[in-house]
Amino acid sequence: MARTIQSLERAAAMLRLLAGGERRLGLSDVASALGLAKGTAHGILRTLQQEGFVEQDPASGRYQLGAELLRLGNSYLDVHELRARALVWADDLARSSGESVYLGVLHQQGVLVIHHVFRPDDSRQVLEVGAMQPLHSTALGKVLCAYDPVAHSELADTAREAFTDRTVTGLPELEGVLDLIRARGWAADIEETWAGLASIAAPIHDRRRMPVGAVGITGAVERVCEEGELRAQLVASVRDCARAVSRDLGAGRF
């Protein structure tokens, strides 16, 4: 069996302890409940407090769960709600477009694929849920950067690799691309990340009108494009899908 890290086990036990019972506990209560020396318990609580996972009441000195845990929990729920709301619409998009459909969210300076619908044919395909895509060159990544301020700021801090001779890596040029995306409401990637493949993506918004993800299709250039231009019907289908998911998340009409 793989070895575990004792300090992390103790920190997890503290969070579970604070999540139940009286919710606010003193240092002696925590140390006693977990069988720890006060100095050890205090050191772990101080670390959790610095990270925002624990808060200390100034008047009583007691500890309770912090706001950072709530933020992380909401993020987890948002991703799962997004995926649940998008399932039917993503299937419909795959059928109508004949291409693979991807649902992505911002994660660790990239795009995390949280749902993938296979292209509706008999070809051999690999499930890409959990895969990461770059922000600067993919349609999903660029549309997130255009609409999500956090993703936009991450763009400057990421390594912008030139995957093909079509990849745009310079920040001034990328800012121009993002302006165009905001103006037309969707993003494209024509052989900027993978040779022979083209993608189209549009943003998904929640009830607060905040960008929470993006949905897009990817397929062979000869199917997604016609005479060097993206097929208008495919662009419309992707945008309709994004609007439908946004409406289901409470965003209303866009």
Side-chain angles (χ1 to χ4, degrees), residues 16-73:
R16 293 190 186 98
L17 180 65
L18 292 171
E22 297 179 10
R23 298 298 177 94
R24 287 187 178 182
L25 297 173
L27 174 60
S28 296
D29 300 323
V30 173
S32 176
L34 299 179
L36 299 175
K38 281 189 178 181
T40 301
H42 185 253
I44 296 174
L45 283 168
R46 284 292 300 275
T47 301
L48 291 171
Q49 185 178 359
Q50 289 172 4
E51 295 299 324
F53 297 135
V54 164
E55 295 174 356
Q56 186 178 28
D57 180 62
S60 67
R62 290 175 169 267
Y63 294 91
Q64 64 184 18
L65 294 180
E68 181 66 9
L69 279 176
L70 177 62
R71 187 189 70 81
L72 292 177

Short mmCIF file of all heavy atoms in Angstrom, two decimals, residues 16-73:
data_model
loop_
_atom_site.label_atom_id
_atom_site.label_comp_id
_atom_site.label_asym_id
_atom_site.label_seq_id
_atom_site.Cartn_x
_atom_site.Cartn_y
_atom_site.Cartn_z
N ARG A 16 -13.03 17.71 8.51
CA ARG A 16 -14.23 16.90 8.75
C ARG A 16 -14.80 17.18 10.14
O ARG A 16 -16.03 17.24 10.33
CB ARG A 16 -13.90 15.41 8.61
CG ARG A 16 -13.54 14.99 7.19
CD ARG A 16 -13.48 13.48 7.07
NE ARG A 16 -13.00 13.07 5.76
CZ ARG A 16 -11.75 12.73 5.49
NH1 ARG A 16 -10.83 12.75 6.46
NH2 ARG A 16 -11.39 12.39 4.28
N LEU A 17 -13.93 17.36 11.12
CA LEU A 17 -14.37 17.64 12.48
C LEU A 17 -15.11 18.97 12.53
O LEU A 17 -16.18 19.08 13.16
CB LEU A 17 -13.15 17.67 13.42
CG LEU A 17 -13.43 17.95 14.90
CD1 LEU A 17 -14.25 16.82 15.52
CD2 LEU A 17 -12.10 18.14 15.65
N LEU A 18 -14.56 19.99 11.88
CA LEU A 18 -15.18 21.31 11.88
C LEU A 18 -16.47 21.33 11.07
O LEU A 18 -17.33 22.20 11.26
CB LEU A 18 -14.20 22.35 11.33
CG LEU A 18 -12.98 22.64 12.20
CD1 LEU A 18 -11.98 23.52 11.46
CD2 LEU A 18 -13.39 23.31 13.51
N ALA A 19 -16.60 20.40 10.12
CA ALA A 19 -17.80 20.35 9.28
C ALA A 19 -19.00 19.76 10.02
O ALA A 19 -20.14 19.91 9.59
CB ALA A 19 -17.53 19.52 8.02
N GLY A 20 -18.76 19.10 11.15
CA GLY A 20 -19.85 18.47 11.90
C GLY A 20 -19.93 19.02 13.30
O GLY A 20 -19.18 19.91 13.71
N GLY A 21 -20.88 18.51 14.04
CA GLY A 21 -21.00 18.89 15.45
C GLY A 21 -21.33 20.36 15.63
O GLY A 21 -22.22 20.91 15.00
N GLU A 22 -20.58 21.03 16.50
CA GLU A 22 -20.87 22.42 16.85
C GLU A 22 -20.37 23.41 15.81
O GLU A 22 -20.65 24.60 15.90
CB GLU A 22 -20.22 22.75 18.20
CG GLU A 22 -20.77 21.92 19.37
CD GLU A 22 -20.08 22.28 20.67
OE1 GLU A 22 -19.33 23.28 20.69
OE2 GLU A 22 -20.29 21.57 21.65
N ARG A 23 -19.60 22.93 14.87
CA ARG A 23 -19.05 23.76 13.78
C ARG A 23 -17.94 24.70 14.25
O ARG A 23 -17.01 24.94 13.51
CB ARG A 23 -20.16 24.58 13.09
CG ARG A 23 -21.23 23.74 12.43
CD ARG A 23 -20.65 22.88 11.32
NE ARG A 23 -21.65 22.02 10.71
CZ ARG A 23 -22.34 22.33 9.62
NH1 ARG A 23 -22.12 23.48 9.03
NH2 ARG A 23 -23.24 21.50 9.15
N ARG A 24 -18.05 25.28 15.43
CA ARG A 24 -16.97 26.13 15.96
C ARG A 24 -16.34 25.42 17.16
O ARG A 24 -17.02 25.10 18.13
CB ARG A 24 -17.51 27.50 16.39
CG ARG A 24 -17.87 28.41 15.24
CD ARG A 24 -18.22 29.78 15.75
NE ARG A 24 -18.53 30.69 14.66
CZ ARG A 24 -18.84 31.98 14.83
NH1 ARG A 24 -18.88 32.49 16.06
NH2 ARG A 24 -19.11 32.74 13.79
N LEU A 25 -15.04 25.20 17.04
CA LEU A 25 -14.33 24.47 18.09
C LEU A 25 -13.07 25.22 18.49
O LEU A 25 -12.42 25.86 17.67
CB LEU A 25 -13.95 23.07 17.59
CG LEU A 25 -15.11 22.13 17.24
CD1 LEU A 25 -14.56 20.87 16.59
CD2 LEU A 25 -15.93 21.79 18.47
N GLY A 26 -12.72 25.12 19.78
CA GLY A 26 -11.49 25.71 20.27
C GLY A 26 -10.30 24.81 19.99
O GLY A 26 -10.46 23.64 19.63
N LEU A 27 -9.11 25.34 20.19
CA LEU A 27 -7.89 24.57 19.95
C LEU A 27 -7.87 23.30 20.79
O LEU A 27 -7.53 22.22 20.29
CB LEU A 27 -6.67 25.43 20.26
CG LEU A 27 -5.31 24.73 20.20
CD1 LEU A 27 -5.05 24.15 18.81
CD2 LEU A 27 -4.20 25.71 20.59
N SER A 28 -8.23 23.41 22.08
CA SER A 28 -8.21 22.24 22.96
C SER A 28 -9.20 21.18 22.49
O SER A 28 -8.92 19.98 22.56
CB SER A 28 -8.56 22.65 24.40
OG SER A 28 -7.57 23.52 24.91
N ASP A 29 -10.36 21.63 21.99
CA ASP A 29 -11.37 20.69 21.49
C ASP A 29 -10.84 19.90 20.31
O ASP A 29 -11.01 18.68 20.22
CB ASP A 29 -12.64 21.45 21.08
CG ASP A 29 -13.25 22.22 22.23
OD1 ASP A 29 -13.23 21.72 23.36
OD2 ASP A 29 -13.76 23.33 21.98
N VAL A 30 -10.20 20.62 19.38
CA VAL A 30 -9.68 19.98 18.17
C VAL A 30 -8.57 19.00 18.54
O VAL A 30 -8.55 17.86 18.07
CB VAL A 30 -9.14 21.04 17.17
CG1 VAL A 30 -8.45 20.37 15.99
CG2 VAL A 30 -10.29 21.92 16.68
N ALA A 31 -7.64 19.44 19.36
CA ALA A 31 -6.51 18.59 19.74
C ALA A 31 -6.99 17.33 20.46
O ALA A 31 -6.53 16.22 20.18
CB ALA A 31 -5.55 19.37 20.62
N SER A 32 -7.95 17.51 21.36
CA SER A 32 -8.46 16.38 22.13
C SER A 32 -9.21 15.38 21.25
O SER A 32 -9.02 14.17 21.36
CB SER A 32 -9.38 16.88 23.25
OG SER A 32 -9.95 15.80 23.95
N ALA A 33 -10.04 15.90 20.36
CA ALA A 33 -10.86 15.04 19.51
C ALA A 33 -10.00 14.20 18.57
O ALA A 33 -10.34 13.07 18.23
CB ALA A 33 -11.85 15.88 18.70
N LEU A 34 -8.86 14.75 18.14
CA LEU A 34 -8.02 14.05 17.18
C LEU A 34 -6.81 13.39 17.83
O LEU A 34 -5.99 12.78 17.13
CB LEU A 34 -7.56 15.03 16.09
CG LEU A 34 -8.68 15.68 15.26
CD1 LEU A 34 -8.09 16.64 14.24
CD2 LEU A 34 -9.53 14.63 14.58
N GLY A 35 -6.67 13.54 19.14
CA GLY A 35 -5.55 12.92 19.83
C GLY A 35 -4.21 13.53 19.47
O GLY A 35 -3.20 12.82 19.37
N LEU A 36 -4.18 14.86 19.31
CA LEU A 36 -2.96 15.55 18.92
C LEU A 36 -2.47 16.46 20.03
O LEU A 36 -3.27 16.93 20.86
CB LEU A 36 -3.21 16.40 17.66
CG LEU A 36 -3.65 15.67 16.39
CD1 LEU A 36 -3.97 16.69 15.30
CD2 LEU A 36 -2.57 14.72 15.91
N ALA A 37 -1.18 16.71 20.04
CA ALA A 37 -0.63 17.72 20.94
C ALA A 37 -1.15 19.09 20.50
O ALA A 37 -1.37 19.32 19.31
CB ALA A 37 0.88 17.70 20.90
N LYS A 38 -1.33 20.00 21.46
CA LYS A 38 -1.86 21.31 21.12
C LYS A 38 -0.98 22.04 20.10
O LYS A 38 -1.47 22.72 19.20
CB LYS A 38 -2.01 22.16 22.38
CG LYS A 38 -3.24 21.85 23.21
CD LYS A 38 -3.41 22.89 24.31
CE LYS A 38 -4.67 22.62 25.12
NZ LYS A 38 -4.85 23.64 26.18
N GLY A 39 0.33 21.91 20.26
CA GLY A 39 1.25 22.58 19.33
C GLY A 39 1.08 22.08 17.91
O GLY A 39 1.08 22.86 16.96
N THR A 40 0.91 20.77 17.77
CA THR A 40 0.72 20.18 16.45
C THR A 40 -0.60 20.65 15.84
O THR A 40 -0.66 21.05 14.67
CB THR A 40 0.73 18.65 16.53
OG1 THR A 40 1.98 18.22 17.07
CG2 THR A 40 0.53 18.02 15.16
N ALA A 41 -1.67 20.60 16.64
CA ALA A 41 -2.98 21.01 16.17
C ALA A 41 -2.98 22.49 15.77
O ALA A 41 -3.54 22.88 14.75
CB ALA A 41 -4.03 20.75 17.24
N HIS A 42 -2.31 23.29 16.59
CA HIS A 42 -2.27 24.74 16.30
C HIS A 42 -1.53 25.02 15.00
O HIS A 42 -1.95 25.87 14.19
CB HIS A 42 -1.59 25.48 17.46
CG HIS A 42 -1.62 26.96 17.31
ND1 HIS A 42 -0.50 27.70 16.98
CD2 HIS A 42 -2.65 27.85 17.39
CE1 HIS A 42 -0.82 28.98 16.90
NE2 HIS A 42 -2.12 29.10 17.14
N GLY A 43 -0.44 24.32 14.76
CA GLY A 43 0.32 24.53 13.52
C GLY A 43 -0.50 24.20 12.29
O GLY A 43 -0.47 24.94 11.29
N ILE A 44 -1.25 23.10 12.34
CA ILE A 44 -2.08 22.71 11.18
C ILE A 44 -3.23 23.70 11.00
O ILE A 44 -3.54 24.11 9.87
CB ILE A 44 -2.61 21.28 11.37
CG1 ILE A 44 -1.44 20.29 11.39
CG2 ILE A 44 -3.57 20.91 10.25
CD1 ILE A 44 -1.84 18.87 11.72
N LEU A 45 -3.85 24.11 12.11
CA LEU A 45 -4.95 25.07 12.01
C LEU A 45 -4.48 26.40 11.44
O LEU A 45 -5.16 27.02 10.61
CB LEU A 45 -5.58 25.29 13.39
CG LEU A 45 -6.50 24.18 13.89
CD1 LEU A 45 -6.81 24.37 15.37
CD2 LEU A 45 -7.78 24.13 13.08
N ARG A 46 -3.30 26.84 11.85
CA ARG A 46 -2.76 28.11 11.33
C ARG A 46 -2.50 28.01 9.83
O ARG A 46 -2.78 28.96 9.08
CB ARG A 46 -1.45 28.45 12.06
CG ARG A 46 -1.63 28.99 13.46
CD ARG A 46 -2.28 30.38 13.45
NE ARG A 46 -1.49 31.34 12.72
CZ ARG A 46 -0.47 32.03 13.25
NH1 ARG A 46 -0.12 31.83 14.52
NH2 ARG A 46 0.17 32.91 12.53
N THR A 47 -2.00 26.88 9.36
CA THR A 47 -1.76 26.69 7.94
C THR A 47 -3.08 26.70 7.16
O THR A 47 -3.20 27.35 6.12
CB THR A 47 -1.02 25.36 7.68
OG1 THR A 47 0.21 25.38 8.38
CG2 THR A 47 -0.76 25.16 6.20
N LEU A 48 -4.07 25.98 7.68
CA LEU A 48 -5.39 25.96 7.03
C LEU A 48 -6.02 27.35 7.04
O LEU A 48 -6.69 27.75 6.07
CB LEU A 48 -6.31 24.97 7.75
CG LEU A 48 -5.96 23.48 7.59
CD1 LEU A 48 -6.82 22.64 8.52
CD2 LEU A 48 -6.13 23.03 6.15
N GLN A 49 -5.77 28.11 8.10
CA GLN A 49 -6.29 29.46 8.17
C GLN A 49 -5.64 30.36 7.13
O GLN A 49 -6.32 31.15 6.46
CB GLN A 49 -6.06 30.02 9.58
CG GLN A 49 -6.68 31.39 9.81
CD GLN A 49 -6.46 31.88 11.24
OE1 GLN A 49 -5.86 31.20 12.07
NE2 GLN A 49 -6.93 33.08 11.53
N GLN A 50 -4.34 30.25 6.96
CA GLN A 50 -3.63 31.06 5.96
C GLN A 50 -4.12 30.76 4.54
O GLN A 50 -4.14 31.65 3.68
CB GLN A 50 -2.13 30.80 6.05
CG GLN A 50 -1.49 31.38 7.30
CD GLN A 50 -0.04 30.94 7.46
OE1 GLN A 50 0.51 30.26 6.61
NE2 GLN A 50 0.57 31.33 8.58
N GLU A 51 -4.53 29.52 4.29
CA GLU A 51 -5.01 29.13 2.97
C GLU A 51 -6.50 29.42 2.77
O GLU A 51 -7.03 29.20 1.69
CB GLU A 51 -4.74 27.64 2.73
CG GLU A 51 -3.28 27.27 2.68
CD GLU A 51 -2.53 27.96 1.56
OE1 GLU A 51 -3.12 28.15 0.48
OE2 GLU A 51 -1.36 28.34 1.77
N GLY A 52 -7.16 29.89 3.82
CA GLY A 52 -8.57 30.24 3.71
C GLY A 52 -9.53 29.10 3.96
O GLY A 52 -10.75 29.27 3.84
N PHE A 53 -9.00 27.92 4.34
CA PHE A 53 -9.86 26.77 4.57
C PHE A 53 -10.48 26.78 5.98
O PHE A 53 -11.45 26.09 6.23
CB PHE A 53 -9.08 25.47 4.37
CG PHE A 53 -8.59 25.28 2.97
CD1 PHE A 53 -7.29 24.86 2.72
CD2 PHE A 53 -9.41 25.52 1.88
CE1 PHE A 53 -6.82 24.69 1.44
CE2 PHE A 53 -8.96 25.36 0.59
CZ PHE A 53 -7.66 24.94 0.36
N VAL A 54 -9.87 27.55 6.87
CA VAL A 54 -10.35 27.67 8.25
C VAL A 54 -10.34 29.14 8.63
O VAL A 54 -9.46 29.90 8.21
CB VAL A 54 -9.45 26.85 9.22
CG1 VAL A 54 -9.68 27.26 10.67
CG2 VAL A 54 -9.71 25.35 9.06
N GLU A 55 -11.33 29.55 9.44
CA GLU A 55 -11.39 30.91 9.96
C GLU A 55 -11.45 30.86 11.48
O GLU A 55 -12.00 29.91 12.05
CB GLU A 55 -12.63 31.64 9.42
CG GLU A 55 -12.60 31.86 7.91
CD GLU A 55 -13.89 32.45 7.40
OE1 GLU A 55 -14.84 32.62 8.19
OE2 GLU A 55 -13.97 32.71 6.18
N GLN A 56 -10.90 31.88 12.14
CA GLN A 56 -10.91 31.94 13.60
C GLN A 56 -11.75 33.12 14.04
O GLN A 56 -11.54 34.26 13.58
CB GLN A 56 -9.49 32.04 14.16
CG GLN A 56 -9.43 31.96 15.68
CD GLN A 56 -8.00 32.03 16.19
OE1 GLN A 56 -7.13 32.62 15.57
NE2 GLN A 56 -7.75 31.40 17.35
N ASP A 57 -12.70 32.88 14.91
CA ASP A 57 -13.54 33.96 15.44
C ASP A 57 -12.70 34.83 16.37
O ASP A 57 -12.12 34.33 17.35
CB ASP A 57 -14.72 33.36 16.21
CG ASP A 57 -15.61 34.44 16.79
OD1 ASP A 57 -16.17 35.23 16.00
OD2 ASP A 57 -15.72 34.51 18.03
N PRO A 58 -12.59 36.14 16.09
CA PRO A 58 -11.73 37.01 16.90
C PRO A 58 -12.15 37.08 18.37
O PRO A 58 -11.31 37.22 19.25
CB PRO A 58 -11.88 38.38 16.23
CG PRO A 58 -12.38 38.09 14.85
CD PRO A 58 -13.22 36.86 14.98
N ALA A 59 -13.45 37.00 18.62
CA ALA A 59 -13.94 37.15 19.99
C ALA A 59 -13.70 35.90 20.84
O ALA A 59 -13.16 35.98 21.95
CB ALA A 59 -15.43 37.49 19.97
N SER A 60 -14.07 34.73 20.31
CA SER A 60 -13.99 33.50 21.09
C SER A 60 -12.71 32.72 20.86
O SER A 60 -12.32 31.88 21.68
CB SER A 60 -15.18 32.60 20.77
OG SER A 60 -15.10 32.13 19.43
N GLY A 61 -12.02 33.00 19.75
CA GLY A 61 -10.82 32.24 19.42
C GLY A 61 -11.12 30.87 18.84
O GLY A 61 -10.20 30.09 18.56
N ARG A 62 -12.40 30.56 18.64
CA ARG A 62 -12.77 29.26 18.10
C ARG A 62 -12.61 29.22 16.58
O ARG A 62 -12.65 30.26 15.91
CB ARG A 62 -14.22 28.91 18.48
CG ARG A 62 -14.39 28.62 19.97
CD ARG A 62 -15.85 28.40 20.35
NE ARG A 62 -15.95 27.88 21.71
CZ ARG A 62 -16.00 26.60 22.01
NH1 ARG A 62 -15.98 25.69 21.05
NH2 ARG A 62 -16.08 26.21 23.27
N TYR A 63 -12.48 28.01 16.06
CA TYR A 63 -12.24 27.82 14.63
C TYR A 63 -13.48 27.27 13.94
O TYR A 63 -14.27 26.52 14.53
CB TYR A 63 -11.08 26.85 14.41
CG TYR A 63 -9.75 27.38 14.88
CD1 TYR A 63 -9.30 27.14 16.18
CD2 TYR A 63 -8.93 28.13 14.03
CE1 TYR A 63 -8.08 27.62 16.62
CE2 TYR A 63 -7.71 28.62 14.47
CZ TYR A 63 -7.29 28.37 15.76
OH TYR A 63 -6.07 28.86 16.18
N GLN A 64 -13.63 27.67 12.67
CA GLN A 64 -14.72 27.17 11.84
C GLN A 64 -14.23 27.06 10.39
O GLN A 64 -13.15 27.56 10.06
CB GLN A 64 -15.93 28.10 11.90
CG GLN A 64 -15.65 29.49 11.32
CD GLN A 64 -16.82 30.42 11.49
OE1 GLN A 64 -17.72 30.19 12.29
NE2 GLN A 64 -16.83 31.49 10.71
N LEU A 65 -15.02 26.41 9.55
CA LEU A 65 -14.63 26.27 8.15
C LEU A 65 -14.58 27.64 7.47
O LEU A 65 -15.39 28.53 7.77
CB LEU A 65 -15.63 25.37 7.40
CG LEU A 65 -15.65 23.90 7.84
CD1 LEU A 65 -16.68 23.14 7.01
CD2 LEU A 65 -14.29 23.25 7.70
N GLY A 66 -13.65 27.80 6.53
CA GLY A 66 -13.46 29.07 5.85
C GLY A 66 -14.15 29.17 4.49
O GLY A 66 -14.65 28.18 3.95
N ALA A 67 -14.16 30.38 3.95
CA ALA A 67 -14.87 30.65 2.71
C ALA A 67 -14.25 29.95 1.50
O ALA A 67 -14.93 29.68 0.52
CB ALA A 67 -14.91 32.16 2.46
N GLU A 68 -12.94 29.66 1.56
CA GLU A 68 -12.29 29.02 0.42
C GLU A 68 -12.89 27.64 0.14
O GLU A 68 -13.02 27.24 -1.02
CB GLU A 68 -10.78 28.89 0.68
CG GLU A 68 -9.99 28.27 -0.47
CD GLU A 68 -9.97 29.11 -1.72
OE1 GLU A 68 -10.41 30.28 -1.70
OE2 GLU A 68 -9.51 28.60 -2.77
N LEU A 69 -13.28 26.93 1.17
CA LEU A 69 -13.92 25.63 0.98
C LEU A 69 -15.25 25.78 0.26
O LEU A 69 -15.60 24.97 -0.59
CB LEU A 69 -14.13 24.93 2.32
CG LEU A 69 -12.91 24.21 2.90
CD1 LEU A 69 -13.26 23.66 4.28
CD2 LEU A 69 -12.44 23.10 2.00
N LEU A 70 -15.98 26.83 0.60
CA LEU A 70 -17.25 27.09 -0.08
C LEU A 70 -17.03 27.38 -1.55
O LEU A 70 -17.75 26.89 -2.42
CB LEU A 70 -17.97 28.26 0.59
CG LEU A 70 -19.30 28.69 -0.05
CD1 LEU A 70 -20.31 27.55 0.01
CD2 LEU A 70 -19.85 29.93 0.65
N ARG A 71 -15.99 28.17 -1.84
CA ARG A 71 -15.69 28.49 -3.24
C ARG A 71 -15.35 27.24 -4.03
O ARG A 71 -15.83 27.03 -5.15
CB ARG A 71 -14.53 29.48 -3.32
CG ARG A 71 -14.25 29.99 -4.73
CD ARG A 71 -12.97 30.79 -4.79
NE ARG A 71 -11.80 29.96 -4.61
CZ ARG A 71 -11.26 29.23 -5.61
NH1 ARG A 71 -11.79 29.24 -6.81
NH2 ARG A 71 -10.19 28.50 -5.37
N LEU A 72 -14.51 26.38 -3.43
CA LEU A 72 -14.13 25.15 -4.12
C LEU A 72 -15.34 24.24 -4.30
O LEU A 72 -15.50 23.60 -5.34
CB LEU A 72 -13.05 24.42 -3.32
CG LEU A 72 -11.67 25.10 -3.26
CD1 LEU A 72 -10.73 24.30 -2.37
CD2 LEU A 72 -11.08 25.26 -4.65
N GLY A 73 -16.19 24.18 -3.28
CA GLY A 73 -17.38 23.35 -3.39
C GLY A 73 -18.32 23.84 -4.47
O GLY A 73 -18.88 23.05 -5.25
#
